[in-house]
Amino acid sequence: MGRIELTSNPVLKRLLVNRWPQWAIFAIMLAGFLFAILSGFIGTPVGSHNFSIVFVWIGWWAVLILVAVPFFGRGWCAVCPIPLPGEWLQRGNVLGPDGDAPVRNKLRHWPRALRNIWLQNVSFTLVALFSSVLLTNPTVTSIVLAAMIFLAIGLSMMFERRTFCRYLCPVGGFIGLYAQAAPIELRIKDKAACVNCGSKACYNGSAQGYGCPWDVFPGGLTKNTYCGLCMECIRTCPYDNIAISLRPFAADLVKPSARLDEAFKAFIMLGSAMIYAGVLLGPWGVLKNAAFQVGTPAWSIYAAAFTSMIFVILPGLYYAAVKAGTAITKTKARMKSIFAEFSSALIPLGLMFWVGFSLSFVFTNASYILMAASDPFGWGWNLFGTATVAWQPVLSWLVTPLQTLALAGGLLWSANTAHRTGLQRRISSLPVILFCLLLTIGMAWLLL
Amino acid sequence: MNIRQWLWPSMLVLAGGLIAFTPLPRDKPVPEARTIRVEAGQFSYTPGKIRVNTGDLVTLELVSTDVVHGLYVDGYDVSVTADPGQTRQLTFRADQPGTFRFRCNITCGAMHPFMIGKLTVGENDRLLRASGLALIAAISIVVRPGKPS
């Protein structure tokens, strides 16, 4: 199946090249983000009645995991407000270059040893360990949101480009991982044009725009993971050689990555979805209390179990499955790279686990959005007449069928990815597919 | 695409449809009246899992042990609220088989949105069917003819 170039449409191309539409969305997002921080600090401590909890963890999360990531990959990163203040300060401009080539600040390069997503793996794990408090306490949500924006500003003042987004953002890490499954991509049209290009304006910047904020040379892009869809390269390329295209789902997984940091991101996300499904949606009060009572011995055990699950148990079992695959076909190969490549099979499954988990609590709690929209601080306002709408699950009859489809579809997708990787490396994918099947049945048991 | 190429996906769709929708043979126990005491405390129910037979007349006696709690049953759209120390009853006919979440519908604290229990009416067919569909999905890749897409 081929690609359909969206940027061949002149209207869409103009909308993407022009900075104003993106800036208008940025402005709305930043206002909403700052309002969420404010409401968390000054609004009611009751999470389900506070804008910060309701709009971030129900509204934004639903859009992110059910729509943005599966269909637009890093589309959220294209409009995320978190890097904006830092980037504006770094550039000395809030819109674009003033007509001359942008000034290149003498900022430091991010240390070579940290140019991977291990820090994002750690930052997500930290957020995940405290998630029961984060998801329910408006003040904590605001502290975390504010910390992210201040960290992004601080890093923008010290290091070049969007260091926070690329190497630290706990959300950006998994968006990048799952963006590989999305049916949209930004790529060059003609490799020769990039080879012969002297200015490399897409990376270095020009009078038309800034050098890639994500520290990516678009000419070398082969997957979505690290392209933030910021559109700068579309603006700067002197040869009109950048295209945004529709493509088959998961096209990036045809040639899987052999990086361990990305492999562990897949395990972290897969394991976290299962743990959340058990702890947050399950009937076990002991688990809920352990996850919520941060700092207690029960929480310490929970945290130890959580980290063991995502960093040791799941990867260990998966390693054994991959090893069994090599034993079946009697293939001698370097286990580290094979293990990492096979882990890409967990990307569709993990994404669908998150979809299944999110369907449950998003549909159940969506009615809080109406309440919080009318009374964002929980102060008794009724701006749109919806503050007194009673809590009521939405489309609850649809949740189980959709979850079932998500899980079975995710397994089908993952098994196909594993099978293809197995054929490429001449290794049996059977144990890996069995591993995915058992996890899927486990997740179904937790959700259904 | 010729007939042979259509045959495999068609068989899979048929198998999936059978697994998803075919009624399963079940013993049909005589419906009875059941009363189950459910203690609600931040942020869980005891028992957290309730199993009844299809057709049973179920009475849940909700007892709150700390603050005001509610109990709303997904799918049945029925609910009850109990003040601390108070016992309130919720009676309904369990005529829809399957597994349903019951959850607190009165804001009771930080973890309120996750104060959830599980009601299974009859057998959990949904889990069986989902597992069957997952199995079909895995088999379809392992034994299918041709190359992966």
Side-chain angles (χ1 to χ4, degrees):
Chain A
M1 196 188 282
R3 266 69 169 161
I4 300 170
E5 189 193 331
L6 299 176
T7 37
S8 63
N9 180 312
V11 176
L12 182 66
K13 180 74 179 286
R14 269 203 297 276
L15 280 172
L16 295 177
V17 171
N18 191 317
R19 291 181 180 277
W20 283 107
Q22 189 181 26
W23 196 91
I25 298 171
F26 273 145
I28 294 167
M29 292 293 178
L30 186 59
F33 188 81
L34 296 175
F35 189 73
I37 293 176
L38 179 72
S39 64
F41 282 128
I42 68 171
T44 173
V46 180
S48 51
H49 294 271
N50 189 302
F51 181 90
S52 72
I53 293 288
V54 174
F55 272 77
V56 173
W57 299 124
I58 300 174
W60 169 76
W61 181 259
V63 171
L64 181 76
I65 210 73
L66 301 179
V67 182
V69 172
F71 296 103
F72 300 99
R74 277 210 186 258
W76 164 254
C77 298
V79 296
C80 175
I82 293 174
L84 289 186
E87 196 165 69
W88 290 342
L89 289 169
Q90 188 186 65
R91 292 171 173 174
N93 203 322
V94 294
L95 189 61
D98 292 325
D100 301 323
V103 178
R104 295 194 66 193
N105 293 319
K106 301 288 183 190
L107 294 171
R108 275 179 265 179
H109 297 293
W110 185 246
R112 187 169 291 278
L114 299 177
R115 289 186 193 179
N116 48 57
I117 63 168
W118 282 114
L119 283 179
Q120 286 181 317
N121 289 345
V122 172
S123 66
F124 180 86
T125 305
L126 285 175
V127 169
L129 289 177
F130 296 95
S131 59
S132 292
V133 178
L134 180 64
L135 293 173
T136 54
N137 186 317
T139 308
V140 175
T141 285
S142 287
I143 289 170
V144 170
L145 296 182
M148 288 170 83
I149 209 160
F150 281 116
L151 192 57
I153 291 172
L155 288 169
S156 292
M157 297 294 91
M158 290 172 64
F159 298 100
E160 60 173 6
R161 307 179 197 252
R162 289 188 183 179
T163 301
F164 175 79
C165 303
R166 176 73 196 262
Y167 299 111
L168 276 167
C169 178
V171 179
F174 77 78
I175 294 180
L177 181 80
Y178 292 141
Q180 296 178 77
I184 197 163
E185 66 180 16
L186 182 147
R187 296 288 186 276
I188 57 167
K189 300 176 196 172
D190 175 18
K191 202 164 191 174
C194 294
V195 171
N196 297 321
C197 174
S199 68
K200 303 284 189 282
C202 57
Y203 185 77
N204 295 316
S206 71
Q208 278 66 48
Y210 297 97
C212 178
W214 288 78
D215 203 13
V216 167
F217 173 53
L221 266 180
T222 55
K223 59 182 185 175
N224 287 351
T225 314
Y226 304 111
C227 169
L229 295 176
C230 65
M231 310 299 161
E232 287 299 334
C233 58
I234 294 182
R235 294 169 184 135
T236 53
C237 179
Y239 303 106
D240 189 22
N241 195 36
I242 307 283
I244 293 181
S245 305
L246 284 178
R247 63 175 196 180
F249 279 95
D252 291 351
L253 302 181
V254 173
K255 287 185 180 173
S257 167
R259 286 177 52 167
L260 267 186
D261 56 341
E262 294 177 9
F264 268 83
K265 172 59 79 182
F267 291 112
I268 291 167
M269 296 310 298
L270 190 78
S272 299
M274 296 190 78
I275 293 169
Y276 280 2
V279 172
L280 298 179
L281 304 181
W284 303 286
V286 175
L287 292 180
K288 290 179 209 294
N289 287 330
F292 184 69
Q293 290 162 358
V294 173
T296 63
W299 179 82
S300 302
I301 293 168
Y302 164 77
F306 195 121
T307 46
S308 301
M309 179 67 147
I310 59 178
F311 285 114
V312 181
I313 297 171
L314 273 181
L317 291 172
Y318 201 70
Y319 185 91
V322 175
K323 186 84 179 165
T326 62
I328 290 170
T329 46
K330 296 186 173 65
T331 306
K332 287 186 178 171
R334 200 163 158 258
M335 274 307 292
K336 186 180 162 187
S337 63
I338 290 175
F339 170 72
E341 283 180 28
F342 262 103
S343 71
S344 64
L346 300 178
I347 291 172
L349 194 66
L351 177 59
M352 290 298 114
F353 276 18
W354 277 100
V355 167
F357 163 74
S358 303
L359 281 168
S360 195
F361 84 85
V362 165
F363 278 50
T364 303
N365 296 305
S367 58
Y368 286 127
I369 292 174
L370 294 174
M371 289 184 230
S374 268
D375 187 13
F377 301 126
W379 287 352
W381 296 358
N382 197 359
L383 298 174
F384 307 110
T386 54
T388 55
V389 168
W391 170 83
Q392 183 75 24
V394 178
L395 300 173
S396 57
W397 58 271
L398 198 55
V399 171
T400 299
L402 288 180
Q403 286 175 324
T404 304
L405 280 177
L407 296 185
L411 176 64
L412 186 68
W413 200 356
S414 276
N416 188 51
T417 307
H419 187 52
R420 187 171 48 219
T421 305
L423 289 178
Q424 287 168 358
R425 300 300 300 254
R426 299 180 191 284
I427 292 168
S428 171
S429 57
L430 193 62
V432 166
I433 293 174
L434 184 63
F435 175 93
C436 293
L437 173 66
L438 293 175
L439 282 193
T440 304
I441 292 173
M443 188 66 171
W445 178 71
L446 290 169
L447 288 178
L448 304 179
Chain B
M1 197 181 255
N2 59 35
I3 292 176
R4 285 185 65 181
Q5 286 172 309
W6 274 105
L7 191 62
W8 181 240
S10 302
M11 282 171 58
L12 291 174
V13 170
L14 184 66
L18 286 172
I19 288 172
F21 300 111
T22 304
L24 299 174
R26 295 277 182 217
D27 293 335
K28 288 192 175 175
V30 178
E32 56 184 277
R34 290 174 188 269
T35 301
I36 301 160
R37 178 185 161 91
V38 180
E39 287 191 4
Q42 288 175 320
F43 297 97
S44 60
Y45 295 99
T46 309
K49 290 179 176 180
I50 298 172
R51 183 178 286 274
V52 299
N53 292 323
T54 308
D56 283 354
L57 185 66
V58 179
T59 298
L60 300 179
E61 286 185 352
L62 182 67
V63 186
S64 173
T65 58
D66 42 33
V67 298
V68 182
H69 287 291
L71 190 155
Y72 170 92
V73 186
D74 284 3
Y76 284 85
D77 196 23
V78 292
S79 64
V80 66
T81 304
D83 288 336
Q86 196 184 42
T87 301
R88 293 287 301 276
Q89 290 192 335
L90 171 69
T91 301
F92 61 99
R93 177 74 65 185
D95 51 6
Q96 302 175 57
T99 299
F100 306 89
R101 294 290 194 280
F102 53 90
R103 55 185 88 237
C104 186
N105 62 339
I106 301 292
T107 302
C108 60
M111 288 283 281
H112 156 72
F114 305 113
M115 186 169 165
I116 293 169
K118 221 172 186 179
L119 168 70
T120 301
V121 179
E123 297 299 322
N124 189 356
D125 283 359
R126 294 172 182 185
L127 177 59
L128 278 177
R129 292 180 196 279
S131 302
L133 287 173
L135 188 62
I136 287 287
I139 289 172
S140 72
I141 297 299
V142 174
V143 302
R144 77 176 158 180
K147 292 180 179 176
S149 57

